[in-house]
Amino acid sequence: MIVVGAGAAGAAAAAHLARAGRRVLLLDQAASFPRAKACGGGMAASVQAWFPFDLRPVVETVIERVRFTWDLGDPVVAELPGEAPFWIVQRANLDAFLVEQARASGACFLPGCSVQALQRRDGRWRLQLGSSVGSPEEEGLEALAVVVADGSGSRLAAGLGLGPSRPRFATTVSVEVEGGVADPTTAHFGFGLVPKGFCWAFPRRGGMSIGLGSFIGRPADAATARSEADAVLARLLPSLGFAAGAGQRTVNRLRVWDGHHPLHGEGVVVAGDAASLCDPFLAEGLRPALLSGCRAASAIDLWLAGEAGALAGYSDGLRRDWGDSMAWGRRIASVFYRVPGVGYQLGIKRPTAPQRIAQILSGEMGYGDIAQRAIRRLLLQRG
Ligand SMILES: Cc1cc2nc3c(=O)[nH]c(=O)nc-3n(C[C@H](O)[C@H](O)[C@H](O)COP(=O)(O)OP(=O)(O)OC[C@H]3O[C@@H](n4cnc5c(N)ncnc54)[C@H](O)[C@@H]3O)c2cc1C
């Protein structure tokens, strides 16, 4: 079977499938791994539960507290309890590590291989390749089953009727800055600086991963996004102890969750950003990428073993365990980012907010739980 894309979702799927004893070919268009990947690398340590091997070799920082600000002031600090830490990884290293785990279990990894299209013929998938670094027999690959995990710019998902036909995107700008970090165990989330979004600064080994994301409205073009980001960074970076112009700025479009959609077809599932699973409020895409990669592997394994409903079970399970929370996340984003000043006061400055935030970041609680508590509170006030 074939996995397209060796990011967090695809490499996790390949590692699990190879461990299950399946013959796996993992393809990625990047010429070599580790490859550069714009990502803050923040993820709940609870993802460890989905893997039979230790992820800690690639964890660079264990975050102990999260600091929220409004326009760089009015701070709220949430202490993360010891049993629910938040990890920072360098994405390039995490993905390469998962690829190595897949290879160690017998998967074959082919970098420099761009998949242009998938066609179903006689009960098999045929992959059309844009470029192949391999031998002629690797061209025009075929497989019984495919995991599509080609990321936010997926060319494959919509054509297969998987995920939204017209995906929704957030605009992000990422900056890697090198140098000493005053408090290497605190992650920063800044509101009130980025229109319709927020900025984050995560400490990692040797510096910080900083990013800006805008989540509602039409995505800005790259030039506008970059010049707006420069103005924000000129204030944000000095507040963190870095020069105003530090770091190279990269603009990316991030596919975010936008409604429930089928994530499977006959012998095919879509995972990670390609499945539009990324949180539309806080841009959390790593946890759903890893979750969907792991679940895609077990669904495909069961389907290959003859369990006809396994792939439908994949779509249903992700809807229940991730999509339902994201539906609330999308509603919260559309209200919060329209009136962020009010959202900050009512949502983040509430006395119970630091504890709830810690629970959200650790994956213990979803947006649905938060929304239901808020609704219950309103009903009690009215009653
Ligand atoms: C600036 C920024 C900061 C972020 N910070 C965080 C964060 O701190 N925490 C968090 O949880 N999420 C974060 N995210 C979101 C997170 O990075 C994504 O949700 C995550 O990368 C999704 O993983 P993936 O495996 O689905 O896709 P990717 O990691 O993008 O992997 C897709 C892979 O597919 C390959 N590929 C693409 N097309 C083809 C093709 N046609 N043929 C073969 N290979 C192909 C690509 O080369 C790539 O390696 C951030 C995103 C951005 C943009």
Side-chain angles (χ1 to χ4, degrees):
M1 63 139 317
I2 294 180
V3 180
V4 182
H16 279 283
L17 278 159
R19 273 193 171 239
R22 296 290 172 191
R23 275 186 59 206
V24 180
L25 178 58
L26 174 61
L27 309 176
D28 201 286
Q29 66 183 9
S32 64
F33 266 56
R35 50 91 176 91
K37 173 78 202 162
C39 181
M43 64 181 187
S46 56
V47 301
Q48 177 64 70
W50 306 327
F51 293 89
F53 46 83
D54 193 357
L55 295 173
R56 280 172 302 177
V58 285
V59 174
E60 299 210 340
T61 314
V62 177
I63 296 298
E64 291 171 7
R65 76 194 58 78
V66 184
R67 189 169 184 270
F68 295 85
T69 49
W70 174 262
D71 198 20
L72 298 178
D74 204 8
V76 172
V77 175
E79 296 290 334
L80 301 183
E83 69 274 13
F86 187 67
W87 284 346
I88 307 295
V89 297
Q90 290 227 31
R91 268 306 296 286
N93 295 343
L94 172 72
D95 297 3
F97 176 78
L98 293 172
V99 168
E100 275 319 303
Q101 292 291 331
R103 291 182 59 186
S105 296
C108 177
F109 177 48
L110 199 56
C113 185
S114 170
V115 178
Q116 300 298 306
L118 291 177
Q119 278 159 0
R120 184 116 179 121
R121 221 184 286 154
D122 304 327
R124 295 179 74 82
W125 284 103
R126 191 169 168 77
L127 280 69
Q128 189 190 319
L129 305 182
S131 67
S132 173
V133 293
S135 54
E137 58 267 26
E138 282 159 352
E139 287 168 15
L141 297 166
E142 276 195 358
L144 274 176
V146 177
V147 176
V148 172
D150 55 343
S152 266
S154 179
R155 285 192 293 258
L156 304 175
L160 297 166
L162 307 177
S165 54
R166 293 179 59 202
R168 198 156 75 91
F169 291 91
T171 306
T172 65
V173 177
S174 58
V175 194
E176 294 296 324
V177 288
E178 308 305 320
V181 177
D183 182 356
T185 55
T186 299
H188 302 261
F189 289 80
F191 294 92
L193 284 177
V194 179
K196 297 171 186 160
F198 73 104
C199 51
W200 59 91
F202 294 164
R204 57 162 169 77
R205 200 176 296 146
M208 277 192 136
S209 294
I210 294 174
L212 286 66
S214 290
F215 294 87
I216 57 172
R218 276 168 66 94
D221 62 80
T224 310
R226 195 182 304 265
S227 80
E228 285 176 358
D230 286 344
V232 171
L233 289 164
R235 293 186 59 209
L236 175 66
L237 288 174
S239 79
L240 297 166
F242 297 99
Q248 272 216 325
R249 287 109 212 248
T250 316
V251 181
N252 280 286
R253 294 206 317 155
L254 178 63
R255 203 182 273 235
V256 292
W257 193 90
D258 194 26
H260 298 295
H261 299 277
L263 304 178
H264 74 284
E266 192 61 20
V268 63
V269 292
V270 62
D273 278 1
S276 292
L277 296 178
C278 186
D279 174 351
F281 180 48
L282 288 179
E284 186 192 9
L286 255 178
R287 191 157 54 104
L290 295 171
L291 173 69
S292 58
C294 296
R295 292 212 178 164
S298 63
I300 290 277
D301 187 39
L302 287 170
W303 184 80
L304 288 170
E307 197 172 313
L311 302 189
Y314 170 76
S315 290
D316 292 346
L318 279 177
R319 177 186 173 125
R320 187 185 57 238
D321 299 335
W322 185 257
D324 286 349
S325 171
M326 289 306 107
W328 283 108
R330 188 178 59 171
R331 287 183 199 117
I332 292 170
S334 77
V335 176
F336 190 102
Y337 291 131
R338 276 194 176 85
V339 282
V342 177
Y344 191 78
Q345 289 304 322
L346 294 183
I348 292 176
K349 292 219 75 184
R350 282 184 60 74
T352 52
Q355 193 200 345
R356 299 282 169 261
I357 290 160
Q359 287 171 309
I360 291 262
L361 288 176
S362 69
E364 242 177 69
M365 211 181 226
Y367 292 125
D369 304 307
I370 298 285
Q372 273 156 26
R373 276 166 197 266
I375 291 165
R376 228 177 292 139
R377 221 172 30 241
L378 282 176
L379 290 176
L380 282 175
Q381 275 169 10
R382 292 170 88 197

Short mmCIF file of all heavy atoms in Angstrom, two decimals, residues 4-10 27-30 33 35 37-42 91 95 113-115 149-152 155 172-174 200 202 252 254 271-274 278 283-287 289, ligand 1:
data_model
loop_
_atom_site.label_atom_id
_atom_site.label_comp_id
_atom_site.label_asym_id
_atom_site.label_seq_id
_atom_site.Cartn_x
_atom_site.Cartn_y
_atom_site.Cartn_z
N VAL A 4 0.96 8.84 0.55
CA VAL A 4 1.45 10.01 -0.19
C VAL A 4 1.64 11.16 0.79
O VAL A 4 0.68 11.66 1.37
CB VAL A 4 0.44 10.44 -1.29
CG1 VAL A 4 1.00 11.63 -2.08
CG2 VAL A 4 0.12 9.28 -2.21
N GLY A 5 2.89 11.58 0.99
CA GLY A 5 3.22 12.67 1.91
C GLY A 5 3.80 12.12 3.20
O GLY A 5 3.17 11.30 3.87
N ALA A 6 5.03 12.55 3.50
CA ALA A 6 5.72 12.04 4.70
C ALA A 6 5.80 13.11 5.78
O ALA A 6 6.79 13.23 6.48
CB ALA A 6 7.10 11.54 4.33
N GLY A 7 4.72 13.93 5.91
CA GLY A 7 4.62 14.85 7.03
C GLY A 7 4.17 14.08 8.26
O GLY A 7 4.25 12.83 8.31
N ALA A 8 3.67 14.82 9.27
CA ALA A 8 3.28 14.17 10.53
C ALA A 8 2.22 13.09 10.27
O ALA A 8 2.32 11.98 10.80
CB ALA A 8 2.74 15.22 11.48
N ALA A 9 1.22 13.41 9.45
CA ALA A 9 0.12 12.45 9.22
C ALA A 9 0.59 11.23 8.44
O ALA A 9 0.37 10.08 8.86
CB ALA A 9 -1.02 13.15 8.48
N GLY A 10 1.25 11.47 7.31
CA GLY A 10 1.66 10.36 6.45
C GLY A 10 2.72 9.48 7.09
O GLY A 10 2.64 8.24 7.03
N LEU A 27 5.83 8.03 0.03
CA LEU A 27 6.36 8.95 -0.99
C LEU A 27 6.30 10.39 -0.52
O LEU A 27 5.34 10.79 0.14
CB LEU A 27 5.49 8.87 -2.26
CG LEU A 27 5.20 7.50 -2.86
CD1 LEU A 27 4.24 7.65 -4.04
CD2 LEU A 27 6.50 6.85 -3.30
N ASP A 28 7.30 11.17 -0.87
CA ASP A 28 7.22 12.61 -0.58
C ASP A 28 7.89 13.38 -1.70
O ASP A 28 8.92 12.95 -2.24
CB ASP A 28 7.87 12.97 0.75
CG ASP A 28 7.36 14.31 1.27
OD1 ASP A 28 7.75 15.36 0.71
OD2 ASP A 28 6.53 14.31 2.19
N GLN A 29 7.31 14.54 -2.01
CA GLN A 29 7.88 15.32 -3.11
C GLN A 29 9.19 16.01 -2.72
O GLN A 29 9.98 16.37 -3.59
CB GLN A 29 6.86 16.36 -3.60
CG GLN A 29 6.53 17.44 -2.59
CD GLN A 29 5.46 18.40 -3.10
OE1 GLN A 29 4.85 18.19 -4.14
NE2 GLN A 29 5.23 19.47 -2.36
N ALA A 30 9.43 16.19 -1.39
CA ALA A 30 10.69 16.82 -0.97
C ALA A 30 11.86 15.91 -1.37
O ALA A 30 11.78 14.69 -1.25
CB ALA A 30 10.68 17.03 0.54
N PHE A 33 15.04 14.25 3.32
CA PHE A 33 14.57 14.49 4.68
C PHE A 33 15.75 14.51 5.62
O PHE A 33 16.70 13.73 5.38
CB PHE A 33 13.59 13.38 5.10
CG PHE A 33 12.15 13.76 4.84
CD1 PHE A 33 11.72 14.12 3.59
CD2 PHE A 33 11.23 13.73 5.88
CE1 PHE A 33 10.40 14.46 3.35
CE2 PHE A 33 9.91 14.06 5.66
CZ PHE A 33 9.49 14.43 4.39
N ARG A 35 13.32 17.82 5.86
CA ARG A 35 13.07 18.95 4.96
C ARG A 35 12.48 20.09 5.80
O ARG A 35 11.90 19.86 6.87
CB ARG A 35 12.13 18.55 3.82
CG ARG A 35 10.83 17.83 4.22
CD ARG A 35 9.70 18.77 4.45
NE ARG A 35 8.44 18.12 4.75
CZ ARG A 35 8.02 17.84 5.97
NH1 ARG A 35 8.77 18.07 7.02
NH2 ARG A 35 6.80 17.35 6.16
N LYS A 37 10.07 22.85 7.27
CA LYS A 37 8.61 22.83 7.43
C LYS A 37 8.21 23.97 8.36
O LYS A 37 8.66 24.01 9.52
CB LYS A 37 8.20 21.48 8.02
CG LYS A 37 6.76 21.36 8.40
CD LYS A 37 5.88 21.15 7.21
CE LYS A 37 4.46 21.56 7.51
NZ LYS A 37 3.65 21.78 6.32
N ALA A 38 7.42 24.93 7.84
CA ALA A 38 6.97 26.04 8.69
C ALA A 38 5.96 25.53 9.70
O ALA A 38 4.88 25.08 9.33
CB ALA A 38 6.33 27.12 7.82
N CYS A 39 6.34 25.56 10.99
CA CYS A 39 5.44 25.07 12.03
C CYS A 39 6.02 25.47 13.38
O CYS A 39 7.24 25.39 13.57
CB CYS A 39 5.30 23.54 11.94
SG CYS A 39 4.18 22.83 13.16
N GLY A 40 5.15 25.87 14.32
CA GLY A 40 5.62 26.20 15.65
C GLY A 40 6.07 24.98 16.43
O GLY A 40 6.83 25.08 17.37
N GLY A 41 5.56 23.82 16.04
CA GLY A 41 5.97 22.57 16.67
C GLY A 41 5.40 22.34 18.06
O GLY A 41 5.89 21.49 18.79
N GLY A 42 4.34 23.09 18.42
CA GLY A 42 3.73 22.89 19.75
C GLY A 42 2.69 21.78 19.70
O GLY A 42 1.85 21.77 18.80
N ARG A 91 9.67 20.64 13.69
CA ARG A 91 8.88 19.79 12.81
C ARG A 91 9.74 18.95 11.86
O ARG A 91 9.45 17.77 11.61
CB ARG A 91 7.91 20.65 12.00
CG ARG A 91 6.57 20.79 12.63
CD ARG A 91 5.93 19.45 12.94
NE ARG A 91 5.67 18.67 11.74
CZ ARG A 91 4.70 18.92 10.89
NH1 ARG A 91 3.87 19.92 11.09
NH2 ARG A 91 4.52 18.15 9.83
N ASP A 95 9.18 14.86 11.80
CA ASP A 95 8.75 14.13 10.60
C ASP A 95 9.83 13.13 10.16
O ASP A 95 9.53 11.98 9.83
CB ASP A 95 8.42 15.11 9.46
CG ASP A 95 7.23 16.03 9.82
OD1 ASP A 95 6.74 15.94 10.96
OD2 ASP A 95 6.81 16.83 8.97
N CYS A 113 9.54 12.43 -4.92
CA CYS A 113 8.53 11.76 -5.75
C CYS A 113 7.19 12.47 -5.58
O CYS A 113 6.57 12.38 -4.52
CB CYS A 113 8.44 10.30 -5.29
SG CYS A 113 7.36 9.35 -6.31
N SER A 114 6.79 13.22 -6.59
CA SER A 114 5.57 14.02 -6.50
C SER A 114 4.41 13.29 -7.18
O SER A 114 4.50 12.96 -8.36
CB SER A 114 5.84 15.37 -7.17
OG SER A 114 4.64 16.07 -7.30
N VAL A 115 3.34 13.07 -6.44
CA VAL A 115 2.17 12.36 -7.01
C VAL A 115 1.24 13.40 -7.61
O VAL A 115 0.81 14.34 -6.93
CB VAL A 115 1.46 11.53 -5.92
CG1 VAL A 115 0.23 10.84 -6.50
CG2 VAL A 115 2.42 10.52 -5.31
N ALA A 149 -1.92 12.10 2.29
CA ALA A 149 -1.51 12.98 3.40
C ALA A 149 -0.57 14.04 2.83
O ALA A 149 0.54 14.22 3.33
CB ALA A 149 -0.85 12.16 4.50
N ASP A 150 -1.03 14.72 1.78
CA ASP A 150 -0.15 15.65 1.07
C ASP A 150 -0.29 17.09 1.55
O ASP A 150 0.09 18.03 0.83
CB ASP A 150 -0.32 15.52 -0.46
CG ASP A 150 -1.75 15.70 -0.91
OD1 ASP A 150 -2.65 15.60 -0.06
OD2 ASP A 150 -1.98 15.91 -2.11
N GLY A 151 -0.83 17.29 2.75
CA GLY A 151 -0.74 18.59 3.42
C GLY A 151 -1.73 19.64 2.95
O GLY A 151 -2.67 19.35 2.18
N SER A 152 -1.48 20.88 3.40
CA SER A 152 -2.42 21.98 3.16
C SER A 152 -2.62 22.30 1.68
O SER A 152 -3.67 22.76 1.28
CB SER A 152 -1.92 23.24 3.87
OG SER A 152 -2.51 23.35 5.13
N ARG A 155 -3.25 18.47 -3.69
CA ARG A 155 -3.80 18.49 -5.05
C ARG A 155 -4.72 17.29 -5.25
O ARG A 155 -5.40 17.19 -6.24
CB ARG A 155 -2.66 18.37 -6.08
CG ARG A 155 -1.85 19.62 -6.27
CD ARG A 155 -0.97 19.48 -7.49
NE ARG A 155 0.06 18.47 -7.27
CZ ARG A 155 1.33 18.76 -6.99
NH1 ARG A 155 1.70 20.00 -6.91
NH2 ARG A 155 2.22 17.80 -6.82
N THR A 172 -0.82 32.42 7.36
CA THR A 172 0.17 32.43 8.44
C THR A 172 1.48 33.03 7.96
O THR A 172 1.81 32.94 6.77
CB THR A 172 0.46 31.00 8.95
OG1 THR A 172 1.07 30.26 7.90
CG2 THR A 172 -0.79 30.28 9.43
N VAL A 173 2.18 33.63 8.90
CA VAL A 173 3.55 34.08 8.61
C VAL A 173 4.41 33.49 9.73
O VAL A 173 4.08 33.63 10.91
CB VAL A 173 3.65 35.63 8.62
CG1 VAL A 173 5.09 36.06 8.39
CG2 VAL A 173 2.74 36.22 7.56
N SER A 174 5.47 32.81 9.35
CA SER A 174 6.32 32.21 10.38
C SER A 174 7.73 32.81 10.33
O SER A 174 8.22 33.20 9.27
CB SER A 174 6.38 30.69 10.23
OG SER A 174 6.86 30.36 8.96
N TRP A 200 1.99 33.76 18.07
CA TRP A 200 2.51 32.86 19.10
C TRP A 200 4.04 32.87 19.05
O TRP A 200 4.64 33.20 18.02
CB TRP A 200 1.99 31.42 18.88
CG TRP A 200 2.35 30.81 17.56
CD1 TRP A 200 3.45 30.06 17.27
CD2 TRP A 200 1.59 30.90 16.34
NE1 TRP A 200 3.42 29.67 15.94
CE2 TRP A 200 2.30 30.17 15.35
CE3 TRP A 200 0.39 31.51 15.97
CZ2 TRP A 200 1.85 30.05 14.03
CZ3 TRP A 200 -0.05 31.39 14.66
CH2 TRP A 200 0.67 30.67 13.71
N PHE A 202 7.06 30.26 20.53
CA PHE A 202 7.37 29.03 21.25
C PHE A 202 8.88 28.89 21.39
O PHE A 202 9.61 28.88 20.38
CB PHE A 202 6.82 27.80 20.50
CG PHE A 202 5.32 27.73 20.41
CD1 PHE A 202 4.70 26.88 19.50
CD2 PHE A 202 4.51 28.49 21.25
CE1 PHE A 202 3.32 26.79 19.41
CE2 PHE A 202 3.12 28.42 21.17
CZ PHE A 202 2.52 27.57 20.24
N ASN A 252 2.51 31.32 4.56
CA ASN A 252 1.91 30.04 4.19
C ASN A 252 0.39 30.12 4.27
O ASN A 252 -0.14 30.88 5.07
CB ASN A 252 2.35 28.94 5.16
CG ASN A 252 3.73 28.43 4.83
OD1 ASN A 252 3.91 27.70 3.87
ND2 ASN A 252 4.71 28.85 5.61
N LEU A 254 -2.74 27.89 5.39
CA LEU A 254 -2.99 26.71 6.20
C LEU A 254 -4.46 26.32 6.07
O LEU A 254 -5.36 27.10 6.40
CB LEU A 254 -2.65 27.02 7.67
CG LEU A 254 -2.89 25.94 8.69
CD1 LEU A 254 -2.01 24.71 8.41
CD2 LEU A 254 -2.60 26.46 10.10
N ALA A 271 -5.76 12.17 5.34
CA ALA A 271 -5.37 12.44 6.73
C ALA A 271 -4.67 13.79 6.83
O ALA A 271 -4.16 14.33 5.84
CB ALA A 271 -4.44 11.33 7.23
N GLY A 272 -4.64 14.34 8.05
CA GLY A 272 -3.89 15.58 8.33
C GLY A 272 -4.49 16.80 7.65
O GLY A 272 -5.70 16.89 7.44
N ASP A 273 -3.63 17.75 7.29
CA ASP A 273 -4.10 19.00 6.66
C ASP A 273 -4.86 18.72 5.36
O ASP A 273 -5.78 19.45 5.01
CB ASP A 273 -2.90 19.90 6.32
CG ASP A 273 -2.42 20.70 7.53
OD1 ASP A 273 -3.00 20.55 8.62
OD2 ASP A 273 -1.46 21.47 7.36
N ALA A 274 -4.47 17.70 4.64
CA ALA A 274 -5.15 17.38 3.38
C ALA A 274 -6.63 17.09 3.65
O ALA A 274 -7.49 17.29 2.79
CB ALA A 274 -4.49 16.19 2.70
N CYS A 278 -7.19 20.87 10.64
CA CYS A 278 -6.52 21.83 11.51
C CYS A 278 -7.55 22.75 12.22
O CYS A 278 -8.49 23.24 11.59
CB CYS A 278 -5.53 22.66 10.69
SG CYS A 278 -4.52 23.75 11.67
N ALA A 283 -5.08 27.08 15.27
CA ALA A 283 -4.12 26.51 14.29
C ALA A 283 -3.44 25.24 14.79
O ALA A 283 -2.33 24.95 14.38
CB ALA A 283 -3.07 27.54 13.87
N GLU A 284 -4.12 24.51 15.66
CA GLU A 284 -3.51 23.26 16.12
C GLU A 284 -3.75 22.20 15.04
O GLU A 284 -4.87 21.72 14.85
CB GLU A 284 -4.14 22.81 17.45
CG GLU A 284 -3.43 21.60 18.01
CD GLU A 284 -4.16 20.92 19.16
OE1 GLU A 284 -5.32 21.26 19.44
OE2 GLU A 284 -3.55 20.01 19.73
N GLY A 285 -2.66 21.84 14.37
CA GLY A 285 -2.81 20.88 13.27
C GLY A 285 -2.00 19.62 13.47
O GLY A 285 -2.24 18.61 12.80
N LEU A 286 -1.03 19.69 14.40
CA LEU A 286 -0.15 18.53 14.58
C LEU A 286 -0.89 17.36 15.23
O LEU A 286 -0.76 16.22 14.81
CB LEU A 286 1.00 18.93 15.50
CG LEU A 286 2.34 19.15 14.84
CD1 LEU A 286 3.36 19.58 15.89
CD2 LEU A 286 2.80 17.87 14.17
N ARG A 287 -1.65 17.67 16.30
CA ARG A 287 -2.34 16.59 17.01
C ARG A 287 -3.34 15.88 16.07
O ARG A 287 -3.31 14.64 15.97
CB ARG A 287 -3.03 17.15 18.26
CG ARG A 287 -3.56 16.08 19.21
CD ARG A 287 -3.69 16.65 20.61
NE ARG A 287 -4.48 17.85 20.68
CZ ARG A 287 -5.73 17.91 21.14
NH1 ARG A 287 -6.34 16.83 21.55
NH2 ARG A 287 -6.38 19.06 21.20
N ALA A 289 -3.19 15.76 12.88
CA ALA A 289 -2.43 15.07 11.82
C ALA A 289 -1.95 13.72 12.34
O ALA A 289 -2.09 12.69 11.67
CB ALA A 289 -1.25 15.93 11.37
C1 LIG B 1 3.38 28.76 10.47
C2 LIG B 1 2.67 27.56 11.01
C3 LIG B 1 2.81 27.22 12.36
C4 LIG B 1 2.15 26.10 12.87
N1 LIG B 1 2.33 25.79 14.18
C5 LIG B 1 1.69 24.72 14.70
C6 LIG B 1 1.90 24.33 16.04
O1 LIG B 1 2.70 24.90 16.77
N2 LIG B 1 1.20 23.27 16.53
C7 LIG B 1 0.33 22.58 15.75
O2 LIG B 1 -0.31 21.64 16.25
N3 LIG B 1 0.15 22.89 14.45
C8 LIG B 1 0.81 23.94 13.91
N4 LIG B 1 0.65 24.24 12.59
C9 LIG B 1 -0.17 23.35 11.75
C10 LIG B 1 0.65 22.11 11.37
O3 LIG B 1 1.94 22.50 10.91
C11 LIG B 1 -0.04 21.30 10.28
O4 LIG B 1 -1.37 21.10 10.64
C12 LIG B 1 0.69 19.96 10.08
O5 LIG B 1 1.92 20.22 9.45
C13 LIG B 1 -0.10 18.98 9.23
O6 LIG B 1 0.70 17.86 8.96
P1 LIG B 1 0.45 17.02 7.63
O7 LIG B 1 1.28 15.78 7.75
O8 LIG B 1 -0.98 16.88 7.35
O9 LIG B 1 1.01 17.92 6.46
P2 LIG B 1 2.53 18.32 6.13
O10 LIG B 1 3.35 18.28 7.34
O11 LIG B 1 2.45 19.57 5.33
O12 LIG B 1 3.05 17.12 5.21
C14 LIG B 1 2.62 16.97 3.89
C15 LIG B 1 3.78 16.33 3.13
O13 LIG B 1 3.29 15.96 1.84
C16 LIG B 1 4.30 16.25 0.88
N5 LIG B 1 3.60 16.44 -0.39
C17 LIG B 1 2.77 17.46 -0.73
N6 LIG B 1 2.27 17.27 -1.96
C18 LIG B 1 2.78 16.09 -2.41
C19 LIG B 1 2.63 15.35 -3.61
N7 LIG B 1 1.83 15.80 -4.60
N8 LIG B 1 3.30 14.18 -3.75
C20 LIG B 1 4.11 13.72 -2.74
N9 LIG B 1 4.29 14.41 -1.58
C21 LIG B 1 3.62 15.56 -1.41
C22 LIG B 1 4.98 17.51 1.41
O14 LIG B 1 6.31 17.62 0.90
C23 LIG B 1 4.96 17.26 2.91
O15 LIG B 1 6.15 16.65 3.38
C24 LIG B 1 1.30 25.33 12.03
C25 LIG B 1 1.18 25.66 10.68
C26 LIG B 1 1.85 26.76 10.18
C27 LIG B 1 1.70 27.10 8.71
#
